[in-house]
């Protein structure tokens, strides 16, 4: 961000946009473009990682809110370097340095609620267990959780079965959360 955090927030509102079916507010589709960058020493199958994150976000960010169907269309691809990332992209950075930031274990972090960059512990995408479980593994869940922050959601500690719980493993979203994402965009 060239030491300027404003460079990493969605000033133009172009990194998440919504489309309406037939011009009516009966079906909303949240459209997102994003890149996944491996900045770790982990040898990861980036195609599998990307597909798992895409599936996890698609599973989490859908539902029905006040008679309006909410769905997600995420265009997610691998970035070999920052040269592959455009201004309108969200960015998932897989790193092995995240726990060095604070004492203790951190699974993921977002640069800013409503921002565009999230960091995820790369070790959650490696190993047979993670490959077999696909979008249910901790790395994909963490990516979906961190994307929730990028879409403007905070932690939701009151609901035990919720994507935005800080230590949960559930993809559930509330009507209020889906509405909040849309209101943030509007």
């Amino acid at each position: 961000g060239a030491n300027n955090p404003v460079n990493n927030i969605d000033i133009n509102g172009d990194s998440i946009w919504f489309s309406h079916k037939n011009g009516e507010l009966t079906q909303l589709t949240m459209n997102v473009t994003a890149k996944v960058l491996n900045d770790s020493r982990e040898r990861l199958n980036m195609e599998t990682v990307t597909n798992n994150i895409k599936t996890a976000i698609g599973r989490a960010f859908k539902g029905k809110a006040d008679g309006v169907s909410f769905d997600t269309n995420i265009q997610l691809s691998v970035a070999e370097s920052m040269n592959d990332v455009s201004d309108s992209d969200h960015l998932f950075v897989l790193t092995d340095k995240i726990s060095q930031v604070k004492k203790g274990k951190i699974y993921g972090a977002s640069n800013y609620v409503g921002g565009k960059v999230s960091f995820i512990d790369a070790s959650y995408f490696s190993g047979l267990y993670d490959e077999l479980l696909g979008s249910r593994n901790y790395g994909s869940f963490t990516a979906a959780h961190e994307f929730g922050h990028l879409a403007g959601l905070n932690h939701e500690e009151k609901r035990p079965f919720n994507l935005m719980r800080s230590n949960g493993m559930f993809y559930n979203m509330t009507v209020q959360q889906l509405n909040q994402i849309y209101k943030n965009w509007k």
Side-chain angles (χ1 to χ4, degrees), residues 41 95-106 121:
R41 293 181 296 263
T95 181
D96 48 13
K97 302 169 187 77
I98 196 165
S99 292
Q100 297 170 5
V101 176
K102 290 185 178 179
K103 294 180 181 177
K105 186 68 175 166
I106 296 177
D121 190 324

Side-chain angles (χ1 to χ4, degrees), residues 14 16 18-19 40 83 86-87 92 98 101 135 156 181 184:
D14 60 354
I16 294 179
F18 285 85
S19 55
S40 74
N83 293 333
S86 68
D87 291 344
F92 296 96
I98 196 165
V101 176
S135 63
E156 183 62 58
I181 292 169
N184 291 345

Side-chain angles (χ1 to χ4, degrees), residues 68-86:
V68 178
S69 295
F70 189 101
D71 203 3
T72 301
N73 170 31
I74 183 165
Q75 301 302 312
L76 189 62
S77 59
V78 176
E80 298 297 328
S81 72
M82 285 302 292
N83 293 333
D84 297 335
V85 180
S86 68

Side-chain angles (χ1 to χ4, degrees), residues 28-80:
L28 279 174
T29 301
M30 177 175 63
N31 300 285
V32 180
T33 59
K35 297 289 186 340
V36 181
L37 176 70
N38 186 3
D39 187 42
S40 74
R41 293 181 296 263
E42 295 278 339
R43 295 180 57 91
L44 301 171
N45 180 333
M46 292 302 289
E47 184 177 329
T48 299
V49 167
T50 301
N51 287 335
N52 289 348
I53 292 173
K54 182 177 180 175
T55 300
I57 289 173
R59 176 183 292 146
F61 293 88
K62 70 177 183 179
K64 197 159 191 151
D66 300 326
V68 178
S69 295
F70 189 101
D71 203 3
T72 301
N73 170 31
I74 183 165
Q75 301 302 312
L76 189 62
S77 59
V78 176
E80 298 297 328

